Amino acid sequence: QVQLVESGGGWVQPGGSLRLSCAASKNIFSIATMGWYRQAPGKQRDLVATITSGDRINYADSVKGRFTISRDNAKNTVYLQMNSLKPEYTSVYYCAARSIIATYWGQGTQVTVSS
């Protein structure tokens, strides 16, 4: 069974930073492209960043230069370092693991950016 558990969300002031973590079950982490997506109320779920098992990285244009995705293979964990946060980044952030068979989702963690 695939499990993805996110942590690290919360409230932060504009310009602040947060680091999200996603711990994945071992049976998926080593073969999957891991990613972060976000969904604001009333909007679709959008890509934030992905990282393949070979460390190829892709970012949404809106977060380039602000966010950094990384993975720790020893810990089966993927991270999203978010800097210079803006109010429009307020969303539920979801971790995803994509294999050739299916895409698996975490439960999401709320990130709120406001003063």
Side-chain angles (χ1 to χ4, degrees), residues 48-110:
V48 176
T50 59
I51 182 168
T52 69
S53 57
D55 289 337
R56 290 188 65 182
I57 291 173
N58 179 52
Y59 293 105
D61 288 342
S62 60
V63 304
K64 285 180 179 177
R66 296 177 183 268
F67 290 9
T68 302
I69 189 171
S70 61
R71 61 193 292 164
D72 185 333
N73 293 329
K75 296 182 178 180
N76 298 326
T77 300
V78 61
Y79 302 98
L80 186 68
Q81 178 66 44
M82 305 186 293
N83 299 327
S84 302
L85 285 163
K86 302 179 181 180
E88 53 262 45
Y89 293 162
T90 294
S91 293
V92 178
Y93 283 71
Y94 294 92
C95 175
R98 188 175 73 241
S99 71
I100 60 173
I101 299 173
T103 298
Y104 304 91
W105 296 93
Q107 81 283 358
T109 185
Q110 176 70 44

